[in-house]
Each structure stands twice: as C-alpha cells, then as structure tokens.
Amino acid sequence: MAPPDLPLLERDREQAVLSAVIGELRSGRPALVTVTGEPGLGQNELLRWAADQARKRRVHVLSARATPAEHELRYGVVAQLLASHDRDLASRLFVTSQRPGGLPGLNHLLTACRDRPALLVVHDVQWLDPASLRWLEALVRRLPRAPVALLTSTTGTAIDRPEWSVGTPLTGLASTIELALPPLTAGGVAAAVRAVCGFGDPAFTESLAETTRGVPAIVHEVLRRFARTGRAPRAEHVEHLRALTAEVVGDHAARALSELRDPVAVDVLRALAVCGDLLDFPLVCTLVGPHPVPETRLRATLRASGLLTGRGGSLGEHDGVVRARILEEMPADARADLYARAARLAQRVAVADQGIAELLLQARPVGEPWAVDTLRRGFTAALRSGRRDRATAYLARALDEPLPAGERARVELQLASVQMVTAPVAAERRLHGLVRSADTCEGLRSQAVDLCLLGGDTRAVRLARPAAPGTLRTAAAARAPAGAVPHSGQRLDPTGADNDAITGERDELIALLRVARFLRHDESCLDVHPAPPLPEHSSSPAVAGVRAWGHAVAGVHLEASRQLARAAFAPDPSGRPPLVTPRLFACRALFLTDDGDEAEAHLATLLNEAHRQRAAIAIAHVLAVRADLHIRHGRPDAAARDLAAAEAELPLARLHPLFVPYWASLNLVADLLNGRADRAREVAARPVPSLAEECATSAYLLFARGVLARSEDDPHRARAFFRACGRWMLHYGCVNPAVLPWRSLAAEAAHALGDDEEALRLSREELRLAARWGTRSALGRAELGLAVVIGENRAEHFRAAVATLSESPARTAYTRAVLELASAESAEAERRTALALTSRAAPTAGDIAPGRLAGLPQGAPAPTAVPPGRGTPALHGAAPRVRQRPKAGWPALSPAEHETAVLAARGLGNREIAAALSVTTRAVELRLSGVYRKLRIRGRDELRAPSHGPEGG
C-alpha cells in the first residue's frame, strides 16, 4: 500500500505557497488561489492537503465539489459550502425562488468570517452550475473586505475558467495566485516506484514514465496494481507494466465518459474518436448533425472531462486505448455508420488516402466507386511502407464493396499475391476459388495458377482442368449468352476470338501443369491424371518458356532451347498478361545455354515488374534465381546480397517446402564461396520439411551438401551425396550436366577413394552428354573433370579444358583449370628434369639433398591448392584438395596471394588475373606487392624463375 503523501510527490513549491496563504489568512489577508492542470495531476489532492493544514491552524474550512451530474442543479456547490455553516439555509436554497440579484447566505457568511478566518475550498470549478458561479463571483468581489481565502481547482484552460481565476479587476486588492501543476519528472516517477514497489530498474522506470506521461494519478494506480501482482520492478516485466498502463488509462477514460451528461458532447467525443486526427474540430462537429450547443461550449465540456487535450481538439496521447473505450459501448451498426459518414466527409475534404482507408476498414459498405479506388491506393502506400498486414486488410475491405465480376477477380488476385507471404493458406483458398470459378476473366485463371505455383501449390493447376482440343468450340459457344444477337462488330462465332482465348488459356495451363509435374511427381495418386504433352505449335510465350527448360534439362537441341527461351519474353499475340513461372524457367534455360547476360537482363525486367505489382513472392523468387546466376558466374558476394533481399521479401518460415532445398543450396554454396564455412555447415545441418524430400529441388541441396563434404576433404560423404543427387536428377528426367555436374564431382570423389574405373566411367559419361549439349561451360567442366581423374596426358586434357572454359562465363571453373594446368606442367617439368639428371650422372639418393631437385623444395605443392574456407567451389566446379604442403617462402602467402602468384607465374597479365579471380585490377596489384615482399623478390621475372615460380610453389 502506498504511503498517504504519495500523490503529493514533487509538489513542495505548491505546498509552500498554500502554507503561506493560510498563514496570511490568519492575519486577515484574503487570497484567491487557483490550482490548474490536466486531469490526474493531483489538483484535488493538493486542495485536501491545504484544507487539513488550515484546520490544524484553526482556520474555518468550508469545502464543496462540483460534478457534471449537478451542473444543472441550482446552487448545488453553494449548498455544499454552507452545509457545515448553516444547514437550514443550505436546505432552503433548493426551494427558494430565484430573485434578481439575490445571493442567499453570502452576507451571513461574510459576517461570520469577520470573527474567524475561513478557507473556502471548491474542487473542479469547471463543472460549476450557473447559480453557484454567480454566487462565487460575488464572493470574489467582496474578498478585500473579509478574511476569506478561496481555493479552487480546475482542469480547464483560461478561456473556459471563471474570470476570477485569471486575475481580473474582480479580485480587487486580494492576492491572486495560479498554480499550474506539471507532470512528474523522471526522478519523481523513480521515487514513486521506490515508495510502492522498492528500487526499480532504470528500464522499468523509464517505461513507466513514458507510458504514463508522468501523470501522478495514473502512475500511482499502475504501481498499486503492479505491486499486487507480486512482481519486482525489473526490466523483464516491462511488457506487463505496459499492459497495466493501458488498462488504467482505459479505466480513466471510461470513468470520464460516464460523467458526461450532455448527449451532444458524447456524440462529438465519439466522432473525435473516429476521425479527430484527420479532420478539424468544426468538421468533426458536423458529423453529429444540427445541435444548439456552441462549439466553444463543446470544447470546454470535453476539456473539462479530461478526454480532450490541446487547443486543436484532439484526444490524449494514449489514442488507441482511449478511442477503444469511447467507442466500445456504441452499437456495432451505429459505429459502422459513423465510420462511413466520417469516410465520406474525409473524402470530400481530400484527406490522404491512407487516412480514408483506415476509416473505411471499420465502416459499413458505402457503395460508391471512390471507396474501392481509395482502398487500393491505400494498399499500395501500405506496401510501400512495409505494412503488409495493413495492405491486405485494405484489399479485403475493398471486397466488401459491390464490384463487377472482373474487377472483383482482379482484386482477389492482387490480395492473394500479398497473402502468399502473410497468410499462405488463405491465399491458396482464394486462388482456388478463382481457378474454379466460371466467371473468372480471361487471363486471370492462368495468373492464379501461376501464383499458386510460386507459392508451392501444385494442386491448383489440376483444378483448372485444361480443355481438350475437341471441346474448344463447345466451350466458346457456351460462353455466349443464350439467345444473344450480335451487334455491329461483335462475333459469336466460336471459331473466332473466343476460341483463340480458350486456346491461349489451355496452352498456358498445360505449360503450368508441366511445371508442377517437374516440381513434384504426384502422378502415382489415383486422382491425378497424366499431364498432357506441350503443344508442338503454340504462340503462347508460357509454352515457349517451359519447352525451353524441357530441352535444357534433357540436354538436347541447344539452339532450339535458346530461341524458345527468348520467345518466352515476347508479348502474347492475343494480349494475355505474361506469367512469371514460365519466364523464370526460361531464364534458367538461358543459364544453361551460356546466355547469362541475356538472362540477367530478363531477370531485371521481371524484378521491376514484380515491384510495380507489389508481388512480394514473385520478387523473392526472381532474386533467388538471380542469385543462382551470380553463383554460376563466380559472383558470390552479389549472390549473398540477392539471397538476403529475397529472405526479406519472403522469410524462410513462410517459404513452401518445395523450394526449401533450392534456397538452402544457394545459401550453402554462397557461404562457402564467401569463406563462411561455419554458416554453410549450419545450413547443411538444418532439417528440411518432409515434403521437401519429395521434390525436384532436393537434388540441389544434395549436390550442395556434397560440395561441402568435398571442401572438408571427406570423399566418402561427398560421393554419397553426389550419387544421391544424380539419382534424383535422373528421376525427374534431368540429364544435362550443365544443370548440376554431379558426375564429374562424384568421379573425383571415387578417384580419391581409389575407384578409378567408376571415376573414368562417370567422367566420360559427363563428357559425352556435355558434348551433345554443346555449351562451352558444360564441355569445359566435363573436360576438367576427366583431366583430374585420368592417368595419361593430364596436361593435354587440362590445356583443352582451359581453352574451352576461357570462352565461357564459368569463371570459377576456368580459374581452377588454369591452376590445375600449372600443377600438371610443374609435375611434367619435374619428371623431365629428374630423367635428365639420372641419364647424366645417376647419383645416389644421398648425393641429392632433399628439395634441391631442379631448385624445387621437396614435396612442392600443386599450385592449385585452395586453402580451406577460401575459393570454395561453386555449383558447377570445385577446387581440388590440398595435396601437399608448401615449403620455403610460400607458406607466408595468404590464400589470395597464393592464387594470384600462381597465375602471374603462368604469364597472365593483371587484367586477365582480375577476370579469372573476379577481383579488381587494383586488388591484383596489391596482392602481387605482398607476394614480392614476402618472397623477397623484385618482380615477375624472379617470380617465374624455377626457384620461385609455379614449379616452386
């Protein structure tokens, strides 16, 4: 329980002033003191303290309280004042007829005060009845002639209070004092916490001061309720403290509302709770309708209640809590009607769209076109500011308005595109309704299925049921109204435009069905019909994109795949809106045809389009595919940025299980390439949903885990992962090694384990398939894989791989091929030198000191060695294991310096080295400067010397 003086914290100055007034009153000096401030600042507590002090000093105290309930009761406050002085007179005040100029009991009171000073205490003078107000004004005019002090409290402002409280000639020679009470300071709040709950954490005290704004009444009530919970005032209880504060503020608002007796003031207050922050006070008053109460009187009444603060006529700082308490007792229909009227008024005076949209959220349907337009503009603005939940609420509210069928379907589709991130189950249900509906407009059914596929839902395309070719005429005729007569320019011929529209939709749905089949094989289910083949001759860009991907994964018809992928981005001849998923697969086909720059341009177009449509799920998928492109082209830092941006749009927790393996593989490889092996291990160890193990993208994660095992020099695990990846790829019909070169990497793992037969078989199979496909990247990687495992003419195979990869965008594989070639040539030079020395002298082993053969340190490493954590392999090639440890000055080089020095020793220029390592020319120069300093040489010529060049390091 709080001590009695708790409400008087930080009121020392005011208490001193009141003590002085009481002391002077005993000497016969009258005074008029007004204590002002917002409700809850402790005015009445201070008046009660002053009355107690006056009684202790033998001053006669008369007290009264004005209330809203007695505002119309004549002489209600005067009767309270005189009750202790003359009870009979007080009772007669209510029945005495009003006489002009009559002031009952005033002269009698002044006469009695000449013998004994009196302190009149009146609480809440803002609620004075008119008769009591005149009586007190007359008393104030007579104060200079009597030892009487009038002490009042008010929550109003100067324009609303009686004239005597602002120091006017009414007061004559009497002392006039106004005490404006401030809120508690941070120190005062901390003292209150100590008094009620004990010593509190600074975070707890700061939160209390912030949420209560230092209003003593709220501070004390919150602390009392908090103390009853038995909790300590610590930082971990701040959320509970905030909840208590909201509850107390709401109780204060409800109490103040219950004291309002004027129905017009109540209506205005409710209108303020609805739109007071959007409209000026005079406009808000118009929502109430015609009424006789002046605006100034309404302001005064609402300020006196404490529910209105500031001169502009707005609610308090705890808007949300106060508004809820003000509106909760209204009937739901009346509240919805008030919001609708407020929205109409706000629309007429051109309030900002989001403000009107907020009003429409709670309003009944207004039935006017501007409402839907405003809600859609509010949707766009909310998405731009990152408020997805609010954006979906706006569009959901727009669906409550009467809309044409086509417009309703477009709003449904737009809403579902956002709900795919915030509420995927609701989005799927909404999209399934669009797919099933016979009223869905042309093109929207395909877009709904496309959106479902982006969300991982492969069932929606089966709900659409693409029409069979023989049913096109019947379906087109059925769409014509019964008994319709064509007007001028209209054709109801089922072989005309309607037939073209149905054919276009059918082709798009078949293309999307093939995509769904690739993502997840579910033909084994009894209710799933086999997917129809793609049309051989179709003008649909969606069909072109899916056919391009089909050729690419099969590894056949390179040029046809390239042309079809380009056709996927051409406008549809019938003007149908483009779909996202087929174009994404077309971009991936362009990856495999070595047209990465063209694919990147198309991805940029897709990204801009998705941003314009505010489709977060499309943005995320485009960024993920572009990250795949960056990894293939040796730009892991750019890939990491795109993956982070994709996860910001579509958090991993919201990602459908079908796409989890693909995204996880991209993150894993990007982390490896960026030298973050620990994070890569975390991604690899992260469990995936059970459904993710049944989809085509599982192969990507298996491959990435194999790359991680390979970087950790674990060929057993690496081969197991690459084999599993291959089985999964073949299960989904993916033969092309350009998609994932699992065969060559499995061959390297088998070679490391001593299984050369399997290694050669896999490498030659990949070389055959890559040659059939025909791109430089796939062929060069296959040649590189064969060179690693073959035993004869390794240098020649590496030279072929370098020549092929030099003309491809696979820069990581090219860099590795150059390093492997340097190692092979170094080994050949070592063997030639050893044979020459043996034929000349054939010395014994003791005649040749270790490390002196041809100036080479014994056990000199292959210059391709890539230290762990640096230069980790990409999806399409990986650096080999570190076979030997360097000696002499080379161990002092960093991994980056080592790679740069090997390429420089091979004779590559700075620009060529920069392109091979995906760094700037300046970075190459700095690395070479470090190499020269650590090896204590003066330039490239000495670096190429046998004792320092690639043969030596």
Side-chain angles (χ1 to χ4, degrees):
M1 181 65 66
D5 60 344
L6 189 58
L8 298 178
L9 280 173
E10 297 189 327
R11 298 294 181 251
D12 298 338
R13 180 183 67 87
E14 291 80 4
Q15 288 175 314
V17 171
L18 293 176
S19 294
V21 168
I22 294 170
E24 292 182 352
L25 178 61
R26 297 186 67 231
S27 303
R29 298 175 184 174
L32 174 62
V33 181
T34 304
V35 182
T36 67
E38 295 181 10
L41 290 181
Q43 299 95 313
N44 292 334
E45 286 78 4
L46 194 60
L47 264 61
R48 281 193 290 269
W49 177 87
D52 292 340
Q53 295 297 313
R55 292 188 186 97
K56 292 177 182 178
R57 300 186 187 185
R58 300 184 181 279
V59 174
H60 189 44
V61 177
L62 305 177
S63 61
R65 177 188 293 274
T67 63
E70 298 179 355
H71 180 66
E72 302 300 330
L73 181 62
R74 186 165 58 94
Y75 291 121
V77 170
V78 174
Q80 295 180 54
L81 285 173
L82 299 180
S84 60
H85 179 71
D86 189 342
R87 188 173 299 274
D88 294 335
L89 176 62
S91 62
R92 291 196 302 271
L93 289 176
F94 301 106
V95 296
T96 303
S97 59
Q98 181 67 40
R99 293 178 301 172
L103 298 170
L106 179 59
N107 292 331
H108 183 66
L109 174 65
L110 293 175
T111 301
C113 289
R114 292 192 181 97
D115 300 328
R116 183 183 178 186
L119 175 66
L120 276 63
V121 180
V122 182
H123 301 261
D124 298 327
V125 295
Q126 70 272 10
W127 299 118
L128 280 173
D129 61 274
S132 295
L133 177 61
R134 289 193 299 273
W135 194 94
L136 288 174
E137 285 176 347
L139 171 66
V140 169
R141 285 193 292 269
R142 291 165 173 77
L143 280 182
R145 301 191 298 272
V148 176
L150 178 60
L151 176 58
T152 64
S153 67
T154 179
T155 60
T157 56
I159 192 172
D160 304 319
R161 298 200 308 267
E163 291 186 35
W164 74 70
S165 61
V166 291
T168 67
L170 283 175
T171 59
L173 300 177
S175 300
T176 303
I177 302 172
E178 180 177 356
L179 299 176
L181 300 183
L184 295 178
T185 64
V189 174
V193 173
R194 285 194 299 271
V196 178
C197 305
F199 182 79
D201 287 349
F204 182 91
T205 303
E206 290 174 7
S207 177
L208 180 63
E210 176 189 352
T211 55
T212 62
R213 299 181 294 118
V215 177
I218 298 177
V219 170
H220 302 156
E221 183 63 25
V222 170
L223 287 176
R224 289 190 182 100
R225 295 189 187 186
F226 184 83
R228 285 198 293 268
T229 65
R231 292 186 171 97
R234 302 192 181 281
E236 57 265 26
H237 299 142
V238 165
E239 290 303 319
H240 180 67
L241 176 72
R242 291 180 181 274
L244 279 179
T245 304
E247 181 181 329
V248 171
V249 170
D251 290 346
H252 278 242
R255 190 180 306 117
L257 182 62
S258 66
E259 293 176 352
L260 278 179
R261 301 298 176 179
D262 187 349
V264 175
V266 173
D267 290 341
V268 170
L269 186 62
R270 287 170 174 171
L272 281 171
V274 167
C275 57
D277 52 348
L278 298 176
L279 304 175
D280 294 336
F281 190 85
L283 285 174
V284 172
C285 292
T286 62
L287 290 175
V288 179
H291 56 82
V293 184
E295 179 186 324
T296 54
R297 183 62 186 171
L298 284 172
R299 286 181 186 269
T301 302
L302 295 177
R303 287 198 187 114
S305 70
L307 295 171
L308 198 68
T309 60
R311 293 186 179 276
S314 61
L315 297 176
E317 294 187 19
H318 299 91
D319 281 349
V321 177
V322 175
R323 286 170 192 258
R325 288 300 183 97
I326 291 173
L327 297 174
E328 65 184 4
E329 295 183 2
M330 286 186 72
D333 293 343
R335 185 166 56 245
D337 182 71
L338 177 59
Y339 272 103
R341 288 187 284 114
R344 284 195 183 93
L345 180 59
Q347 194 268 341
R348 287 200 298 271
V349 298
V351 172
D353 288 332
Q354 277 194 281
I356 304 175
E358 285 293 321
L359 296 175
L360 289 171
L361 282 182
Q362 308 294 331
R364 57 170 175 76
V366 297
E368 297 180 21
W370 61 264
V372 176
D373 295 339
T374 301
L375 287 166
R376 296 185 77 172
R377 289 194 298 269
F379 161 82
T380 302
L383 278 186
R384 190 181 298 117
S385 60
R387 301 168 62 209
R388 286 178 180 159
D389 291 340
R390 215 59 181 166
T392 56
Y394 291 153
L395 278 193
R397 171 61 183 83
L399 293 173
D400 294 336
E401 297 289 334
L403 289 170
E407 184 71 12
R408 178 173 295 278
R410 279 187 284 272
V411 174
E412 292 260 15
L413 185 69
Q414 192 176 24
L415 175 58
S417 69
V418 181
Q419 284 183 326
M420 273 294 183
V421 176
T422 60
V425 176
E428 286 184 10
R429 190 184 308 116
R430 195 178 299 277
L431 291 172
H432 286 184
L434 287 176
V435 171
R436 289 192 180 100
S437 175
D439 297 330
T440 302
C441 299
E442 178 184 336
L444 290 185
R445 180 177 286 104
S446 299
Q447 287 183 288
V449 175
D450 182 37
L451 192 54
C452 283
L453 286 178
L454 289 176
D457 178 15
T458 58
R459 299 169 300 165
V461 67
R462 301 200 303 268
L463 301 175
R465 295 180 182 177
T471 64
L472 294 181
R473 291 175 179 268
T474 303
R479 292 178 60 179
V485 178
H487 56 73
S488 176
Q490 181 187 19
R491 295 190 306 169
L492 294 181
D493 181 6
T495 62
D498 281 345
N499 196 23
D500 293 341
I502 296 176
T503 302
E505 182 177 82
R506 175 183 178 275
D507 290 350
E508 287 179 344
L509 292 177
I510 291 176
L512 295 173
L513 186 59
R514 302 296 294 186
V515 171
R517 181 181 180 277
F518 174 77
L519 289 175
R520 184 187 180 194
H521 275 328
D522 51 7
E523 279 79 359
S524 59
C525 300
L526 296 179
D527 62 337
V528 177
H529 300 287
L534 287 169
E536 289 292 336
H537 305 287
S538 174
S539 59
S540 171
V543 173
V546 176
R547 286 178 63 85
W549 176 250
H551 288 331
V553 296
V556 294
H557 309 310
L558 171 64
E559 192 56 36
S561 178
R562 179 180 286 122
Q563 295 303 323
L564 286 169
R566 290 169 178 167
F569 294 93
D572 190 284
S574 60
R576 298 175 65 81
L579 305 180
V580 176
T581 305
R583 288 185 288 170
L584 282 179
F585 275 89
C587 287
R588 295 174 69 179
L590 289 174
F591 295 176
L592 307 183
T593 61
D594 279 0
D595 297 297
D597 292 340
E598 187 175 349
E600 190 168 6
H602 289 310
L603 286 172
T605 302
L606 277 172
L607 192 60
N608 290 335
E609 178 184 302
H611 276 296
R612 285 196 304 271
Q613 296 174 355
R614 311 292 175 187
I617 194 165
I619 295 171
H621 280 286
V622 173
L623 288 170
V625 173
R626 193 168 70 175
D628 190 353
L629 173 64
H630 288 319
I631 290 174
R632 291 172 182 269
H633 287 193
R635 299 190 292 265
D637 51 344
R641 288 194 296 271
D642 275 352
L643 288 172
E647 291 181 16
E649 295 288 340
L650 179 60
L652 292 178
R654 298 286 188 180
L655 185 64
H656 194 276
L658 287 182
F659 301 114
V660 168
Y662 181 59
W663 284 43
S665 67
L666 295 176
N667 278 286
L668 193 158
V669 175
D671 287 336
L672 277 178
L673 288 170
N674 286 310
R676 296 191 289 266
D678 291 341
R679 288 182 53 180
R681 294 187 191 96
E682 291 177 6
V683 174
R686 194 177 299 157
V688 296
S690 58
L691 182 60
E693 299 175 355
E694 304 173 7
C695 61
T697 59
S698 297
Y700 287 85
L701 183 56
L702 291 170
F703 184 87
R705 285 172 172 168
V707 171
L708 176 62
R710 188 169 179 275
S711 71
E712 295 172 343
D713 201 13
D714 188 348
H716 289 282
R717 288 178 54 242
R719 182 168 67 169
F721 280 126
F722 291 135
R723 282 176 169 177
C725 168
R727 287 192 295 271
W728 211 244
M729 296 290 285
L730 295 176
H731 174 67
Y732 279 87
C734 186
V735 181
N736 194 348
V739 180
L740 292 176
W742 61 270
R743 296 176 182 85
S744 59
L745 296 186
E748 290 187 27
H751 178 64
L753 295 172
D755 192 351
D756 293 336
E757 181 179 352
E758 180 186 1
L760 288 172
R761 178 180 62 80
L762 290 172
S763 296
R764 285 170 177 157
E765 182 182 0
E766 178 161 326
L767 184 61
R768 177 181 62 82
L769 294 172
R772 184 180 73 172
W773 178 237
T775 60
R776 290 285 182 175
S777 295
L779 186 60
R781 281 193 296 265
E783 291 173 343
L784 176 59
L786 179 62
V788 170
V789 301
I790 201 167
E792 300 177 355
N793 299 324
R794 297 181 74 246
E796 292 302 323
H797 285 286
F798 282 128
R799 289 190 186 96
V802 169
T804 304
L805 290 170
S806 63
E807 301 178 11
S808 79
R811 305 314 302 168
T812 304
Y814 171 68
T815 302
R816 182 195 171 192
V818 171
L819 296 174
E820 288 281 12
L821 176 59
S823 175
E825 290 179 342
S826 173
E828 284 188 352
E830 180 179 348
R831 286 196 296 270
R832 287 195 300 270
T833 304
L835 289 173
L837 291 175
T838 302
S839 63
R840 266 193 230 118
T844 62
D847 295 330
I848 302 177
R852 300 291 297 172
L853 184 60
L856 287 171
Q858 188 176 9
T864 61
V866 180
R870 296 294 297 262
T872 315
L875 282 173
H876 316 290
R881 304 187 314 275
V882 178
R883 298 189 182 94
Q884 298 167 328
R885 293 182 59 83
K887 204 175 180 182
W890 285 78
L893 300 182
S894 67
E897 290 172 341
H898 186 277
E899 291 177 348
T900 306
V902 169
L903 295 177
R906 285 279 302 144
L908 274 67
N910 287 359
R911 291 183 181 274
E912 295 172 310
I913 296 173
L917 298 180
S918 298
V919 296
T920 63
T921 306
R922 178 59 178 165
V924 174
E925 294 173 354
L926 294 174
R927 290 181 184 180
L928 288 178
S929 298
V931 170
Y932 301 153
R933 184 178 68 256
K934 292 177 181 179
L935 296 182
R936 299 179 182 178
I937 59 178
R938 287 173 292 183
R940 286 177 180 265
D941 293 337
E942 294 187 36
L943 185 63
R944 296 192 188 103
S947 60
H948 291 103
E951 297 83 354

